[in-house]
Amino acid sequence: MARRLSVKSLLTKSMGASVSKIVGMRGLPALLWDGSVLDAEEGIRFRGHTIPDIQKALPKAPGGSEPLPEGLFWLLVTGEIPTAEQVKALSADWAARAALPTFVEELIDRCPSTLHPMSQFSLAVTALNHGSAFAKAYQDGVSKKEYWGPTFEDAMDLIAKLPNIAGRIYRNVYGDGKLPAINPDKDYSWNLSNLLGFGENEAFVELMRLYITIHSDHEGGNVSAHTGKLVGSALSDPFLSYAAALNGLAGPLHGLANQEVLLWITEMKAKLGENPSDEAVKDYIWSTLNGGRVVPGYGHAVLRKTDPRYTAQREFAQKHLPSDPLFKLVGQIYDIAPKILLEAGKAKNPWPNVDAHSGVLLTHYGLNQMNFYTVLFGVSRAFGVAAQLIWDRALGAPLERPKSYSSAAIKKMFANKP
């Protein structure tokens, strides 16, 4: 503890900045990431388009109202809104690429059910490196100017195979291990939902279309996105790069956040019962803060207003599950928590982020295995990371190699400065 306080004092006094800004590189302008930009007031923009923009502009499935993630990937890669025909062709392309090598299926099947789904997910994605087009092309001496081509092929294969990996893990751990086949006439989200056992529930399929779209990319500085970019800068293929990203996503401070929200809300519901009063909810929030805990799902490193991804999910819930008890409790917390957080001085941004809502939606439809939630996040985030890996190779992005300093070196550097 003494060492920790000494380093913290050194950084704040000598360099005039917080530990999070220096050691955690919080807000440090250092990365090129074309797919999305996060604005503190507006939230995420995908190639300049807000979430409401893409909800209106991107093609929908027949009879559906949510954007198809295939369209979002097209937008991230090309910068253009695709046509319905282009999205349909992309769905078919991914379906044609979806099959897993037999050894990868066996690898997943041999995992004990006690191994965390994210560990299985990362393991399977790593193993796909065996068939990497980029790794082979590099070994064969491909020109640097052509790196993007095999990277694109790997990126397409990666995204295409994720539903089969996720579905196999889910069925092995929580079901009977039997999987349906990919339907080449259906879209990506329908096939994922069907592999999980929810293909007949159109509302769940619509939720997956929305979920994947809004979780696909969130600028390049978050742990999973930056990890994928960093590892890719060493010319590791997209499978190895994204497996590394998944290991970052598995951390409690990143992809596990929605589980913490759901646990906190279910604990609140168990203690306060159905339809608690506003006063009871206020007291519970205060008890959380006074107990040295944070209110999970509230606050964000960049955002200073309600996360538009939260708003999109809230609007979905208002349409499809307005009477769900947990959704009503989430809405009650939304009305109460920000004022308390402002009063307590606990957050620069007291508004809800995306994790404040997603777990409740999944639970409503029966997907209540919380350890699996980060796998769904992992399927989604591949879209943004893969798109940027393609562009990094096309632009000839260099190897990342920032400079580091020891605390002793920093102390010496500022020793004679007032």
Side-chain angles (χ1 to χ4, degrees):
M1 177 59 76
R3 172 67 174 163
R4 178 179 177 180
L5 292 174
S6 174
V7 171
K8 183 176 181 180
S9 176
L10 168 68
L11 295 175
T12 54
K13 289 182 179 180
S14 298
M15 302 182 72
S18 68
V19 175
S20 66
K21 287 186 177 180
I22 301 172
V23 179
M25 298 189 290
R26 180 68 58 85
L28 178 69
L31 300 172
L32 175 65
W33 194 273
D34 281 325
S36 63
V37 175
L38 183 57
D39 182 86
E41 301 297 324
E42 286 187 312
I44 197 69
R45 279 182 174 267
F46 302 109
R47 292 285 187 170
H49 300 273
T50 65
I51 285 179
D53 289 341
I54 63 170
Q55 285 181 294
K56 293 177 182 177
L58 291 182
K60 319 292 191 297
S65 59
E66 298 298 339
L68 289 168
E70 291 92 324
L72 194 281
F73 181 70
W74 187 290
L75 174 64
L76 292 177
V77 174
T78 70
E80 299 176 354
I81 298 291
T83 65
E85 290 74 19
Q86 288 169 328
V87 164
K88 186 176 181 180
L90 183 53
S91 296
D93 192 346
W94 282 348
R97 297 170 181 257
L100 300 178
T102 300
F103 85 93
V104 175
E105 293 181 341
E106 293 173 349
L107 186 64
I108 299 170
D109 292 345
R110 289 175 65 87
C111 289
S113 61
T114 52
L115 183 64
H116 196 286
M118 280 298 285
S119 299
Q120 298 187 45
F121 198 25
S122 173
L123 181 67
V125 171
T126 299
L128 290 176
N129 153 267
H130 182 268
S132 168
F134 179 82
K136 183 180 185 305
Y138 185 82
Q139 188 175 22
D140 292 342
V142 65
S143 167
K144 291 182 179 180
K145 295 179 180 179
E146 303 301 325
Y147 280 175
W148 74 270
T151 299
F152 174 82
E153 292 301 321
D154 280 355
M156 291 284 283
D157 281 346
L158 169 66
I159 294 173
K161 295 179 190 303
L162 293 182
N164 261 330
I165 294 175
R168 199 170 198 91
I169 293 170
Y170 185 80
R171 297 271 186 153
N172 284 352
V173 175
Y174 307 111
D176 59 9
K178 298 177 181 179
L179 274 80
I182 290 286
N183 187 332
D185 297 321
K186 294 288 189 177
D187 64 88
Y188 188 85
S189 302
W190 187 94
N191 274 309
L192 173 61
S193 301
N194 197 47
L195 288 162
L196 299 176
F198 297 89
E200 298 303 314
N201 190 327
E202 184 55 36
F204 182 87
V205 175
E206 279 282 272
L207 173 60
M208 283 297 96
R209 291 166 181 150
L210 174 65
Y211 181 98
I212 295 173
T213 298
I214 66 175
H215 284 81
S216 63
D217 203 25
H218 213 234
E219 213 173 61
N222 63 76
V223 171
S224 55
H226 185 203
T227 301
K229 183 179 177 68
L230 170 65
V231 176
S233 78
L235 298 185
S236 297
D237 64 68
F239 303 111
L240 296 180
S241 300
Y242 196 60
L246 288 172
N247 291 331
L249 188 66
L253 295 184
H254 192 13
L256 297 189
N258 66 347
Q259 296 180 39
E260 296 182 356
V261 172
L262 187 58
L263 285 170
W264 181 72
I265 291 174
T266 52
E267 288 170 2
M268 180 190 297
K269 182 174 179 289
K271 183 172 182 178
L272 303 183
E274 296 279 351
N275 302 313
S277 67
D278 287 353
E279 198 61 37
V281 172
K282 287 180 184 178
D283 290 343
Y284 192 89
I285 294 172
W286 274 114
S287 69
T288 297
L289 295 174
N290 292 333
R293 300 168 61 194
V294 299
V295 175
Y298 279 73
H300 192 274
V302 178
L303 287 168
R304 293 298 173 260
K305 288 189 176 180
T306 298
D307 190 335
R309 299 173 299 172
Y310 173 94
T311 303
Q313 292 180 105
R314 178 172 173 79
E315 290 170 350
F316 181 94
Q318 289 171 329
K319 178 180 178 180
H320 294 280
L321 46 134
S323 300
D324 182 271
L326 282 180
F327 167 60
K328 294 199 301 189
L329 184 55
V330 165
Q332 200 171 3
I333 295 168
Y334 177 54
D335 292 333
I336 295 170
K339 296 175 184 177
I340 293 176
L341 291 170
L342 284 172
E343 183 180 344
K346 293 291 184 180
K348 293 180 180 179
N349 169 29
W351 306 106
N353 58 52
V354 66
D355 298 309
H357 218 308
S358 56
V360 169
L361 295 176
L362 295 169
T363 298
H364 173 82
Y365 291 108
L367 206 164
N368 51 21
Q369 297 88 357
M370 286 187 284
N371 277 349
F372 191 77
Y373 289 177
T374 317
V375 173
L376 293 179
F377 197 164
V379 172
S380 311
R381 187 49 57 89
F383 285 53
V385 174
Q388 188 59 43
L389 285 173
I390 295 166
W391 273 105
D392 280 352
R393 300 292 75 79
L395 297 171
L399 174 71
E400 281 193 33
R401 183 58 173 88
K403 175 63 179 171
S404 63
Y405 292 92
S406 68
S407 54
I410 294 175
K411 186 175 182 179
K412 183 178 180 180
M413 195 182 305
F414 288 91
N416 298 319
K417 294 187 178 181

